[in-house]
Coordinates of all heavy atoms in Angstrom, one line a residue:
V86 N 5.8 -2.7 -27.9 CA 5.1 -1.9 -27.0 C 5.2 -2.6 -25.6 O 5.0 -3.8 -25.5 CB 3.6 -1.8 -27.4 CG1 2.7 -1.2 -26.2 CG2 3.4 -1.0 -28.6
E87 N 5.6 -1.8 -24.6 CA 5.7 -2.3 -23.3 C 4.9 -1.5 -22.3 O 4.9 -0.2 -22.4 CB 7.2 -2.2 -22.8 CG 7.4 -2.7 -21.4 CD 8.9 -2.4 -21.0 OE1 9.2 -1.2 -20.7 OE2 9.6 -3.4 -20.9
I88 N 4.1 -2.1 -21.5 CA 3.3 -1.4 -20.5 C 4.0 -1.4 -19.2 O 4.3 -2.5 -18.7 CB 1.9 -1.9 -20.5 CG1 1.2 -1.8 -21.8 CG2 1.1 -1.2 -19.4 CD1 -0.2 -2.4 -21.9
R89 N 4.2 -0.3 -18.6 CA 4.9 -0.2 -17.3 C 3.9 0.3 -16.2 O 3.2 1.3 -16.5 CB 6.1 0.7 -17.4 CG 7.1 0.2 -18.4 CD 8.3 1.2 -18.4 NE 7.8 2.5 -19.0 CZ 8.4 3.6 -18.9 NH1 9.6 3.7 -18.3 NH2 7.9 4.7 -19.4
N90 N 4.0 -0.3 -15.1 CA 3.1 0.1 -14.0 C 3.7 1.3 -13.3 O 4.8 1.3 -12.9 CB 2.9 -1.1 -13.0 CG 2.0 -0.7 -11.9 OD1 1.5 0.4 -11.7 ND2 1.6 -1.7 -11.1
R91 N 2.9 2.4 -13.1 CA 3.3 3.5 -12.3 C 2.3 3.8 -11.2 O 1.5 4.7 -11.2 CB 3.4 4.8 -13.2 CG 4.6 4.8 -14.1 CD 4.6 6.2 -14.7 NE 5.6 6.3 -15.7 CZ 5.8 7.3 -16.4 NH1 5.1 8.4 -16.3 NH2 6.8 7.4 -17.3
G92 N 2.2 2.9 -10.3 CA 1.3 3.0 -9.2 C -0.1 2.8 -9.6 O -0.5 1.7 -10.0
Y93 N -0.9 3.8 -9.7 CA -2.3 3.7 -10.0 C -2.5 3.9 -11.5 O -3.6 3.8 -12.0 CB -3.2 4.7 -9.3 CG -3.2 4.4 -7.8 CD1 -2.6 5.2 -6.9 CD2 -3.9 3.3 -7.3 CE1 -2.6 4.9 -5.5 CE2 -3.9 2.9 -6.0 CZ -3.3 3.8 -5.1 OH -3.3 3.5 -3.8
R94 N -1.5 4.3 -12.3 CA -1.7 4.6 -13.7 C -0.6 3.8 -14.5 O 0.4 3.4 -14.0 CB -1.5 6.1 -14.0 CG -2.5 7.0 -13.2 CD -3.9 6.7 -13.7 NE -4.8 7.6 -13.1 CZ -5.7 7.2 -12.1 NH1 -5.7 6.0 -11.7 NH2 -6.5 8.1 -11.6
Y95 N -0.9 3.6 -15.7 CA 0.0 2.9 -16.6 C 0.5 3.8 -17.7 O -0.2 4.8 -18.0 CB -0.6 1.7 -17.2 CG -0.9 0.5 -16.3 CD1 -2.0 0.6 -15.5 CD2 0.0 -0.5 -16.2 CE1 -2.3 -0.5 -14.6 CE2 -0.3 -1.5 -15.3 CZ -1.4 -1.5 -14.5 OH -1.6 -2.5 -13.6
S96 N 1.6 3.6 -18.3 CA 2.1 4.4 -19.4 C 2.8 3.4 -20.4 O 3.2 2.4 -20.0 CB 3.0 5.5 -18.9 OG 4.2 4.9 -18.4
I97 N 2.8 3.9 -21.6 CA 3.5 3.1 -22.6 C 4.9 3.6 -22.8 O 5.1 4.9 -22.8 CB 2.8 3.2 -24.0 CG1 1.4 2.6 -23.8 CG2 3.5 2.5 -25.1 CD1 0.5 2.7 -25.1
K98 N 5.9 2.7 -22.8 CA 7.3 3.1 -23.0 C 7.5 3.7 -24.4 O 7.0 3.2 -25.4 CB 8.2 1.9 -22.8 CG 9.7 2.3 -22.9 CD 10.5 1.0 -22.6 CE 12.0 1.3 -22.6 NZ 12.8 0.1 -22.4
R99 N 8.0 4.9 -24.4 CA 8.1 5.6 -25.7 C 9.4 6.5 -25.7 O 9.9 6.8 -24.7 CB 6.9 6.4 -26.0 CG 6.6 7.4 -24.9 CD 5.2 8.0 -25.1 NE 4.9 9.0 -24.1 CZ 4.1 8.8 -23.0 NH1 3.5 7.6 -22.9 NH2 3.9 9.7 -22.1
P100 N 9.8 6.9 -26.9 CA 11.0 7.8 -27.0 C 10.7 9.2 -26.4 O 9.5 9.5 -26.3 CB 11.3 7.9 -28.5 CG 10.1 7.5 -29.1 CD 9.3 6.5 -28.2
N101 N 11.7 9.9 -26.0 CA 11.5 11.2 -25.4 C 11.0 12.2 -26.4 O 10.4 13.2 -26.0 CB 12.8 11.7 -24.8 CG 13.3 10.8 -23.6 OD1 12.4 10.2 -23.0 ND2 14.5 10.8 -23.3
N102 N 11.3 12.0 -27.7 CA 11.0 13.0 -28.7 C 9.7 12.5 -29.5 O 9.8 11.4 -30.0 CB 12.2 13.2 -29.6 CG 11.9 14.3 -30.7 OD1 10.8 14.8 -30.7 ND2 12.9 14.6 -31.5
F103 N 8.7 13.3 -29.5 CA 7.5 12.9 -30.2 C 7.4 13.5 -31.6 O 6.3 13.6 -32.2 CB 6.2 13.3 -29.4 CG 6.1 12.5 -28.1 CD1 6.1 13.2 -26.9 CD2 6.1 11.1 -28.1 CE1 6.0 12.5 -25.7 CE2 6.0 10.5 -26.9 CZ 6.0 11.2 -25.7
Q104 N 8.5 13.9 -32.1 CA 8.5 14.5 -33.5 C 8.5 13.4 -34.5 O 8.9 13.6 -35.6 CB 9.7 15.4 -33.6 CG 9.8 16.5 -32.6 CD 8.6 17.4 -32.6 OE1 8.0 17.7 -33.7 NE2 8.2 17.9 -31.5
D105 N 8.1 12.2 -34.1 CA 8.2 11.0 -35.0 C 6.9 10.8 -35.8 O 6.7 9.8 -36.4 CB 8.5 9.8 -34.2 CG 7.4 9.5 -33.1 OD1 6.5 10.3 -32.9 OD2 7.5 8.4 -32.5
G106 N 6.0 11.8 -35.8 CA 4.7 11.6 -36.5 C 3.6 11.0 -35.7 O 2.5 10.7 -36.2

Side-chain angles (χ1 to χ4, degrees):
V86 172
E87 177 188 75
I88 298 176
R89 298 178 295 165
N90 185 350
R91 284 191 187 174
Y93 293 110
R94 303 291 184 255
Y95 290 82
S96 66
I97 295 175
K98 185 178 182 181
R99 55 190 182 256
N101 294 336
N102 184 355
F103 295 119
Q104 304 302 324
D105 60 352

